[in-house]
Amino acid sequence: MLDVKPDIVLKYFPNLSEKQIAQFSQLFDLYSFWNAQINVISRKDIEELYERHVLHSLGIAKVCTFKAGESVLDVGTGGGFPGIPLAILFPETQFYLVDSIGKKIKVVKEVASALGLENLRADHLRAEQIKEKFNFVVSRAVTRLGEFYPWIQGKFKKDSLNAIPNGILYLKGGDLAEEIKESKLKAELYPLSAYFEEDFFETKYVVYVPQ
């Protein structure tokens, strides 16, 4: 088994507790094990887990610091991104991870259980089936913004606790001008290259859509 460490996470998030460092350190072995059985990450990407999946997910934390008592919905979480890294980073925030593919949610539940994440729950559901309301909705390039928005419309709490108002924090790459225009949504772009120096982040963004 390869020994891949979360050094790149510590580079940008140096103030983690020992418990958080231990949890991030477990992710490589956990995902290597589950990915061999249920493919949730590209096989060639597994060695780049910390840069391309964990740190990428944590790009959202550079834009918004989730508060104690807030709730966050991760739509189309796949194997648990961005929800699991964010749940490790913000242990006092509640995370709800959903995906329409049951075997992916199995991986999420197994990884969360192994990490002892008590602030995370996961279900095999489509976003449209959820009746609860949240402070924020996060997602990682599930579909075009214009198609994504109707899934989660009306799922936001009225009261904001945060420095930025409740809304969507969407990880997306490439030239997004046309997609944002097509969606007719008021969106703000935060380039991840402003926070992370690695080449992988040059064309990656957090798209914030306030409610």
Side-chain angles (χ1 to χ4, degrees), residues 97-113:
L97 281 56
V98 299
D99 201 281
S100 61
I101 299 171
K103 63 183 181 180
K104 291 187 174 181
I105 286 297
K106 176 181 168 59
V107 174
V108 170
K109 287 181 173 180
E110 294 287 354
V111 171
S113 173

Side-chain angles (χ1 to χ4, degrees), residues 59-72:
I60 287 172
K62 292 296 187 183
V63 174
C64 179
T65 301
F66 296 126
K67 306 295 183 194
E70 285 189 316
S71 58
V72 179

Side-chain angles (χ1 to χ4, degrees), residues 64-89:
C64 179
T65 301
F66 296 126
K67 306 295 183 194
E70 285 189 316
S71 58
V72 179
L73 173 66
D74 179 1
V75 173
T77 188
F81 301 100
I84 284 178
L86 290 171
I88 294 173
L89 193 64

Side-chain angles (χ1 to χ4, degrees), residues 120-136:
L120 183 153
R121 59 200 171 97
D123 279 314
H124 175 207
L125 282 175
R126 293 185 179 279
E128 303 94 314
Q129 297 171 272
I130 297 166
K131 301 288 186 270
E132 295 171 55
K133 294 190 186 304
F134 301 85
N135 296 100
F136 291 95

Side-chain angles (χ1 to χ4, degrees), residues 16 21 24 34 42 47 73 78 87 108 114 142 149 157 163 174 179 183 186:
L16 299 175
I21 293 168
F24 280 122
W34 284 107
S42 165
E47 287 179 46
L73 173 66
V108 170
V142 173
Y149 187 73
K157 293 180 177 178
E179 183 174 333
S183 75
K186 182 186 168 192

